[in-house]
Amino acid sequence: MSDRYSRQILFAPIGIDGQRRIEKKHVLIIGLGALGSSISEMLTRAGVGKLTLIDRDYVEESNLQRQQLYTEMDAKEKMPKVVAAKHRLSEINHDVYINAIVGEADILILEQLAPNVDLIIDGTDNFEIRFILNDIAHKYNVPWIFGSCVGSFGSTYTIIPGKTPCLHCLLQKIPMRGQTCDTVGIIAPTVQMVTSYQVAEALKILSESEKALRNTYITFDLWENQYLSIKTSDAIRNMDCPTCGKERTYPFLAFEEQTKFAVLCGRNTVQIRPSTISHLSLGELASQWKQAGYEVKQNPYLISIQKEEIRLVLFKDGRALIHGTNDPAKARRIYYSLMG
């Protein structure tokens, strides 16, 4: 083993055996924004064997203040976050295998991935996906680590199927904030605080040091100097919970629960997902739209077109982001008018 991980190996709770275990593990990170980009960098530097990254978005200038993997050039080229992340992470540690997926973390792809991963980490910004992750993790008995941050406020919780209350149980007892980074902002230290807790827990799981895991839900406000750690006992766990109870139905894995039109929280943007996955010819569409007089920008992964105050970003699988409206009906009309 090279000197690369010597300081991590010197940390007695990990040691040489723990490092070898870490190097054999596969981690799935959902969302490569502020949380996910920080988590993926720390795990890459720690020498995890394989990372699978999923994100539906691309880099924008407003991301650069806190999403540490990305550059001004990534934003200028509207590079998908997982593509930019894979490039940077490969430069950091070429021994880590990076599987980058540009797209939605939907039920179909998660069902394929979950049986083959050792840990799932939440880097998302909405509870629709988190409830799907919660069901997936319990269906396939995979640990997962929740994380959330906005403003100077952050929270995190480690969920071990069969041993801890699940997210569904937890939300019945602990209220969550409805604010978003796009409505009240965020400072970078909040991100680093949450991801430090998440990655510390991840290293315990990956090195098979489960006895050191927290059994608390942590929440803090860095600006107001507040910190709270809530012990999550069996009293919180609901035996009638459809996700982790005695009779499990995994309600959030029902296909009809997936929304085709989703308003992205706080962003004045609607995401449209096609009913079937199709692989579009971006070059042909770009040519058509240029001829029609639209302002068109393109890279190998997406096309961006501007129409007055509305901007549409179309990905190769047919998924689209309609910026400039939070009205699904209006977004639908724009989408179909442009797609013919």
Side-chain angles (χ1 to χ4, degrees):
M1 188 173 294
S2 72
D3 190 54
R4 175 189 282 266
Y5 309 113
S6 61
R7 300 306 184 271
Q8 190 162 281
I9 290 169
L10 283 172
F11 179 66
I14 292 180
I16 187 80
D17 291 336
Q19 184 62 40
R20 285 172 175 159
R21 295 185 189 108
I22 290 169
E23 292 175 8
K24 295 178 180 178
K25 296 299 196 294
H26 180 188
V27 179
L28 172 61
I29 301 175
I30 310 298
L32 263 291
L35 294 177
S37 60
S38 178
I39 293 164
S40 63
E41 180 176 348
M42 281 195 273
L43 288 180
T44 297
R45 293 185 184 278
V48 69
K50 180 178 180 179
L51 288 177
T52 292
L53 314 175
I54 305 179
D55 192 279
R56 64 189 179 186
D57 213 345
Y58 57 93
V59 182
E60 298 181 273
E61 187 178 25
S62 63
N63 302 150
L64 301 180
Q65 164 256 349
R66 67 199 178 281
Q67 298 183 19
Q68 63 191 46
L69 282 181
Y70 310 126
T71 66
E72 291 180 347
M73 185 58 67
D74 293 328
K76 182 179 179 180
E77 296 180 351
K78 296 189 184 333
M79 193 61 61
K81 289 183 179 179
V82 292
V83 175
K86 180 177 180 178
H87 174 74
R88 178 71 186 281
L89 295 173
S90 297
E91 291 182 331
I92 291 170
N93 191 346
H94 70 276
D95 289 330
V96 177
Y97 181 82
I98 310 290
N99 177 29
I101 300 173
V102 181
E104 184 81 5
D106 60 23
I107 294 168
L108 294 177
I109 188 65
L110 291 174
E111 291 267 16
Q112 295 171 17
L113 293 170
N116 302 308
V117 303
D118 300 289
L119 174 65
I120 300 171
I121 306 184
D122 169 27
T124 69
D125 60 1
N126 71 88
F127 278 93
E128 178 188 0
I129 295 178
R130 287 174 180 141
F131 279 124
I132 292 173
L133 291 182
N134 193 50
D135 275 4
I136 283 285
H138 284 79
K139 181 176 179 179
Y140 292 99
N141 197 34
V142 180
W144 80 282
I145 303 173
F146 161 81
S148 176
C149 57
V150 62
S152 57
F153 175 86
S155 56
T156 180
Y157 176 56
T158 302
I159 300 171
I160 309 296
K163 296 183 179 179
T164 65
C166 78
L167 187 67
H168 209 162
C169 296
L170 196 68
L171 290 183
Q172 295 178 12
K173 300 291 184 178
I174 300 175
M176 300 290 179
R177 297 192 175 192
Q179 300 164 322
T180 73
C181 299
D182 299 283
T183 58
V184 301
I186 185 168
I187 55 173
T190 307
V191 176
Q192 299 306 316
M193 186 76 157
V194 173
T195 57
S196 292
Y197 279 115
Q198 286 182 292
V199 175
E201 292 288 279
L203 290 175
K204 296 173 191 177
I205 292 170
L206 299 175
S207 64
E208 300 177 14
S209 302
E210 287 86 355
K211 289 183 179 180
L213 288 170
R214 283 187 293 103
N215 61 352
T216 59
Y217 171 87
I218 287 177
T219 179
F220 61 84
D221 189 322
L222 288 176
W223 204 262
E224 298 298 331
N225 305 307
Q226 296 172 350
Y227 179 92
L228 180 65
S229 180
I230 304 172
K231 188 174 178 61
T232 56
S233 65
D234 287 338
I236 293 179
R237 190 174 176 190
N238 177 11
M239 289 297 101
D240 294 323
C241 175
T243 296
C244 71
K246 292 180 179 179
E247 297 184 7
R248 304 179 182 186
T249 59
Y250 307 117
F252 292 92
L253 300 187
F255 186 78
E256 58 269 21
E257 291 294 328
Q258 299 183 75
T259 55
K260 297 298 185 295
F261 293 81
V263 179
L264 301 192
C265 193
R267 289 185 58 186
N268 199 31
T269 298
V270 176
Q271 176 181 260
I272 298 177
R273 290 181 284 185
S275 56
T276 58
I277 296 175
S278 58
H279 295 283
L280 303 175
S281 171
L282 297 184
E284 292 181 8
L285 284 170
S287 297
Q288 293 174 16
W289 288 335
K290 285 178 182 177
Q291 291 175 7
Y294 294 111
E295 179 185 342
V296 179
K297 296 181 180 179
Q298 181 184 4
N299 65 38
Y301 310 97
L302 57 83
I303 302 174
S304 171
I305 67 171
Q306 190 79 32
K307 182 182 181 183
E308 298 175 353
E309 80 281 6
I310 299 296
R311 180 162 55 90
L312 178 144
V313 177
L314 181 70
F315 295 83
K316 292 176 71 173
D317 61 2
R319 187 172 51 87
L321 299 177
I322 314 295
H323 298 282
T325 181
N326 57 11
D327 180 353
K330 181 177 180 180
R332 186 200 304 261
R333 291 194 298 271
I334 293 169
Y335 179 80
Y336 287 116
S337 67
L338 290 168
M339 297 299 292

